[in-house]
């Protein structure tokens, strides 16, 4: 019975993919259901158009993930009511999961499990993008530590647009080590996904290269161009690809060219900012909370905007976790820098506050963000929206309810984390340097733009080894003489931050952010400020294959600031 069902599913998926794929020039990438072991958790995720009411008046057209639980405890899937964000997926370490992505969008897509340690064909590399109507079956065992991971689309050149249209969700892992701590759970465990959007006068999202009529409009036509063709079929995407199918918005009368030509195109390559802050996919609202300890799981889900988080009353933040789960012990920060895709878990004891009182998480002003003011036309897509990168704003306000106060104690030790030992790396004395570069209107790393299947010698590593990499942000990546921050993300693993250094020229800028890094724990994304060098220690284990590393400022990624690394067995 079960086997019949699986066979049917695979056969159906393949034929659908084959038919739909032909039209897009994509291979039929639907996957077989793998070994005949029943998973602990089985989910369907439908990527599809929809609409939600975010602001008063007309609903906003979005793209979203709709989840359906086929096997597993009801707590596995939690929909966020009234939000375009995907369902919260909650699993435990060691569980086998099967997740089927069904592409109900008018263009190719694929899901990446951000932060998870999975085989390369389960990781959502753009070479596995599936056509409209097709299905991709993911199967993997959850090997990560307890923590707040997430998922989002990763088709080449369209990640920014698809995330901006609404596609993203949280993937929360639990384990025994964490459960033993008795941290705040249930309604005291609050996920906060922070994003920024720009709306047109009709309540619709605005995204450059896409007509404001909605996420489904000209984007599809753009994808039909040389971009996917060249990219999917084996690289050589940059140069031609960029100009041909990418940011130029060909096929859209009101695309980039229509809105101001080269200047606006460059502004879009710098990043897309919005002047409306959305929390969990909705407008900002005051959240009433019990006077008890809470765990706040923050994800910067913005395309480009970096956050500098702090409490409005000036009290320090208590950080208990970061990208790869709990820290060894809690740390205190006056503020925390959170680049796109980074996560941080806070412990907030509202039990120590007055009934009826309010406190807010804010993003404070800082220097060294995307400065679009110098762009032609005053920063067309970004700077003009009225909320510059590095400007201050409120993120989330909390009001203490009138119930009795029950303050709590936070354990002094949270998790076992061995000290990072760079001596274990095979190149401890000679770190590999990776530097964002700007070529002819194209981003790259060390002068090379994204190449679908390519990895250089430096990008080839040996399974079972550790290496030190240095992300450098010192000038080869400047645009019109301006340096900007980058959020370097490595797929398929968690790494450790070894050191940071900043050039003297940027010391003043750096002073506005430098005390806000949480580098103590496991990371998968690291903010590299202008003038900065960040060294990280990576361990390549379990899975050979081709994985991505890139800047998580999605417009940078989509326009070339992404490369593969190859793990050789
Ligand atoms: Cu969340 Cu390749 O990224
Ligand atoms: Cu970047």
């Amino acid at each position: 019975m079960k086997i019949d069902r699986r066979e049917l599913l695979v056969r159906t998926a393949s034929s659908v993919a084959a038919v739909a794929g032909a039209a897009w020039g994509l291979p039929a990438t639907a996957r077989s259901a793998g070994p005949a072991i029943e998973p602990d958790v089985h989910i369907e995720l439908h990527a599809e158009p929809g609409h939600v009411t975010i602001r008063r008046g007309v609903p906003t057209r979005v793209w979203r993930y709709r989840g359906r639980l086929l096997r597993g405890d009801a707590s596995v899937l939690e929909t966020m009511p009234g939000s375009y964000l995907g369902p919260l997926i909650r699993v435990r370490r060691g569980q086998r999961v099967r997740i089927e992505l069904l592409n109900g969008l008018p263009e190719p897509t694929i899901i990446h499990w951000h932060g998870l340690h999975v085989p390369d064909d389960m990781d959502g590399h753009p070479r596995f993008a599936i056509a409209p109507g097709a299905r991709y079956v993911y199967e993997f065992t959850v090997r990560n530590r307890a923590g707040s991971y997430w998922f989002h689309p990763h088709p080449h050149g369209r990640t920014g647009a698809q995330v901006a249209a609404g596609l993203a969700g949280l993937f929360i892992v639990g384990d025994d080590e964490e459960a033993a701590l008795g941290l705040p759970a249930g309604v005291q465990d609050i996920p906060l996904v922070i994003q920024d959007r720009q709306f047109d006068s009709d309540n619709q999202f605005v995204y450059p290269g896409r007509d404001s009529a909605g996420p489904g409009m000209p984007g599809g036509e753009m994808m039909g161009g040389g971009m996917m063709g060249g990219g999917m079929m084996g690289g050589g995407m940059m140069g031609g690809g960029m100009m041909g199918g990418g940011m130029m918005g060909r096929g859209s009368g009101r695309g980039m060219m229509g809105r101001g030509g080269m200047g606006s195109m460059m502004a879009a390559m710098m990043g897309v900012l919005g002047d409306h802050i959305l929390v969990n996919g909705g407008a900002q609202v005051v959240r009433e909370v019990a006077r008890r300890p809470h765990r706040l799981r923050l994800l910067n889900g913005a395309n480009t905007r970096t956050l500098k988080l702090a409490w409005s009353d000036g009290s320090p933040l208590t950080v208990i976790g970061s990208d790869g789960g709990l820290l060894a012990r809690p740390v205190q920060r006056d503020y925390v820098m959170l680049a796109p895709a980074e996560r941080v878990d806070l412990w907030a004891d509202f039990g120590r506050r007055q009934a009826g009182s309010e406190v807010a998480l804010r993003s404070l002003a800082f220097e060294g963000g995307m400065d679009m003011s110098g762009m032609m036309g005053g920063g067309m897509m970004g700077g003009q929206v009225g909320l510059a990168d590095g400007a201050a704003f409120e993120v989330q306000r909390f009001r203490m309810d009138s119930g009795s106060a029950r303050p709590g104690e936070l354990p002094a030790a949270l998790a076992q984390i061995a000290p990072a030992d760079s001596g274990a790396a095979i190149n401890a004395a000679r770190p590999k340097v990776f530097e964002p570069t700007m070529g002819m209107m194209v981003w790259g790393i060390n002068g090379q733009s994204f190449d679908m299947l390519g990895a250089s010698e430096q990008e080839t590593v040996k399974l079972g080894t550790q290496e030190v990499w240095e992300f450098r942000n010192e000038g080869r990546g400047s645009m019109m003489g301006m340096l900007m921050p980058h959020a370097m993300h490595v797929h398929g693993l968690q790494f450790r931050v070894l050191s940071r250094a900043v050039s003297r020229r940027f010391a003043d800028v750096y002073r506005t952010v430098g005390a806000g890094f949480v580098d103590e724990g496991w990371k998968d994304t690291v903010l590299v400020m202008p003038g900065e060098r960040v060294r990280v220690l990576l361990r390549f284990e379990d899975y050979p294959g081709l994985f991505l590393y890139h800047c998580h400022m999605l417009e940078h990624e989509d326009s070339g600031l992404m490369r593969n690394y190859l793990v050789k067995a």
Side-chain angles (χ1 to χ4, degrees):
M1 173 62 198
K2 280 166 183 164
I3 289 167
D4 288 347
R5 221 196 120 264
R6 183 183 306 117
E7 277 177 0
L8 179 70
L9 183 148
V10 170
R11 219 175 299 127
T12 314
S14 312
S15 52
V16 170
V19 172
W24 290 90
L26 295 183
T29 42
R31 298 187 47 80
S32 82
I37 303 169
E38 277 303 313
D40 303 301
V41 167
H42 186 182
I43 299 168
E44 258 179 24
L45 283 178
H46 297 252
E48 60 190 21
H51 57 269
V52 289
T53 299
I54 300 174
R55 311 173 74 199
R56 198 188 306 274
V58 189
T60 304
R61 284 185 295 279
V62 298
W63 286 355
R64 68 202 311 186
Y65 294 118
R66 181 170 51 85
R68 215 159 73 87
L69 185 65
L70 301 180
R71 188 188 176 99
D73 198 271
S75 63
V76 167
L77 273 195
E78 187 188 323
T79 49
M80 285 191 171
S83 170
Y84 55 77
L85 288 177
L88 254 87
I89 299 177
R90 285 181 207 273
V91 297
R92 288 183 69 82
R93 186 178 196 173
Q95 279 187 320
R96 278 189 64 81
V97 301
R98 178 183 301 157
I99 304 178
E100 299 181 37
L101 165 66
L102 290 102
N103 184 4
L105 306 175
E107 64 181 49
T109 195
I110 192 72
I111 291 179
H112 167 55
W113 311 100
H114 184 116
L116 294 193
H117 180 50
V118 293
D120 74 336
D121 57 352
M122 295 291 115
D123 185 63
H125 188 283
R127 72 186 187 276
F128 297 118
I130 55 169
R135 177 192 309 245
Y136 197 97
V137 182
Y138 296 90
E139 279 196 328
F140 54 84
T141 300
V142 179
R143 301 207 185 281
N144 285 67
R145 308 172 67 230
S148 316
Y149 307 91
W150 64 300
F151 57 100
H152 61 78
H154 222 302
H156 185 54
R158 291 288 290 169
T159 298
Q162 292 192 5
V163 171
L167 293 166
L170 282 168
F171 191 98
I172 291 176
V173 177
D175 66 12
D176 295 342
E177 184 184 46
E178 183 186 73
L181 295 171
L183 293 172
V187 294
Q188 269 93 244
D189 179 348
I190 303 180
L192 296 170
V193 180
I194 304 155
Q195 298 175 303
D196 57 339
R197 291 289 184 274
Q198 194 183 347
F199 290 90
D200 67 11
S201 55
D202 209 22
N203 280 355
Q204 304 308 311
F205 290 151
V206 175
Y207 190 81
R210 190 178 69 206
D211 194 283
S212 60
M217 296 297 287
E221 294 166 38
M222 281 167 57
M223 287 303 282
M227 188 157 170
M228 288 304 282
M232 296 302 293
M233 294 312 160
M237 132 99 215
M238 266 354 226
M242 176 67 208
M243 302 302 279
M247 308 298 286
M248 301 293 272
R250 190 181 56 191
S252 164
R254 287 195 280 155
M256 298 304 305
M257 295 309 286
R259 283 175 185 237
M262 231 45 170
S264 63
M265 173 174 156
M266 291 189 69
M269 285 178 67
M270 292 180 82
V272 174
L273 300 170
D275 50 3
H276 286 75
I277 302 301
L278 303 184
V279 176
N280 292 345
Q284 291 169 296
V285 289
V286 179
R287 202 180 246 275
E288 180 142 303
V289 287
R291 289 195 291 152
R292 303 182 60 175
H294 282 69
R295 176 180 190 169
L296 308 178
R297 300 176 187 256
L298 276 68
L299 160 65
N300 182 344
N303 280 39
T304 292
R305 184 181 295 280
T306 295
L307 307 168
K308 178 179 177 178
L309 297 162
W311 287 116
S312 55
D313 65 355
S315 57
L317 299 165
T318 301
V319 183
I320 60 171
S322 63
D323 300 349
L326 294 172
L327 307 179
R329 59 195 65 80
V331 300
Q332 302 236 308
R333 295 282 189 276
D334 288 337
Y335 61 88
V336 166
M337 298 304 298
L338 204 67
E342 283 189 304
R343 287 88 67 205
V344 74
D345 279 23
L346 303 179
W347 193 77
D349 194 353
F350 296 136
R352 298 175 195 280
R353 296 183 179 272
Q354 294 293 310
S357 68
E358 292 188 353
V359 67
L361 274 174
R362 294 185 52 77
S363 188
L364 307 180
F366 66 91
E367 290 172 43
M370 298 297 154
D371 180 5
M372 308 201 187
S373 55
M375 299 300 298
M376 241 175 285
M380 179 66 210
M381 284 308 163
Q384 70 151 21
V385 297
L387 191 64
D389 196 24
F393 54 88
E394 186 166 300
V395 173
Q396 175 67 58
R397 177 164 290 269
F398 299 93
R399 183 186 299 128
M400 310 309 128
D401 74 8
S402 52
S404 55
R406 279 204 276 160
E409 281 307 323
L410 179 60
L414 298 171
Q416 293 287 339
I417 297 183
D421 173 19
S422 62
I426 57 172
N427 67 335
R430 282 181 302 112
K432 288 181 175 175
V433 174
F434 296 94
E435 182 168 22
T437 48
M438 169 56 66
M440 287 288 293
M441 300 297 291
V442 172
W443 283 109
I445 297 174
N446 294 345
Q448 292 181 292
S449 280
F450 182 60
D451 170 357
M452 188 63 79
L453 301 174
S456 70
E457 197 178 318
Q458 170 163 284
E459 291 163 332
T460 302
V461 302
K462 210 164 164 290
L463 188 67
T465 65
Q466 299 187 53
E467 293 194 0
V468 179
W469 289 8
E470 180 174 290
F471 296 120
R472 228 179 243 191
N473 188 8
E474 287 184 343
R476 293 177 68 199
S478 77
M479 203 187 224
M480 299 178 129
M482 285 176 293
L483 273 179
M484 59 192 82
H486 296 288
M488 299 310 293
H489 168 47
V490 184
H491 277 222
L493 51 76
Q494 294 285 327
F495 55 75
R496 301 291 294 277
V497 177
L498 295 170
S499 64
R500 292 173 178 272
V502 70
S503 69
R504 199 164 301 149
R505 184 157 79 88
F506 283 89
D508 287 341
V509 165
Y510 200 72
R511 214 161 282 136
T512 69
V513 302
F517 299 111
V518 181
D519 290 336
E520 282 85 348
W522 290 97
K523 297 284 294 168
D524 56 52
T525 308
V526 67
L527 178 58
V528 187
M529 289 298 291
E532 195 175 26
R533 298 178 175 195
V534 181
R535 284 192 184 177
V536 300
L537 176 66
L538 309 109
R539 181 200 296 267
F540 309 101
E541 56 187 352
D542 303 323
Y543 305 124
L546 198 64
F547 295 89
L548 298 168
Y549 70 105
H550 61 86
C551 177
H552 219 287
M553 288 161 181
L554 299 180
E555 290 71 34
H556 297 183
E557 166 186 340
D558 279 341
S559 40
L561 217 171
M562 173 159 80
R563 293 281 304 171
N564 292 310
Y565 71 96
L566 175 66
V567 184
K568 270 200 165 156

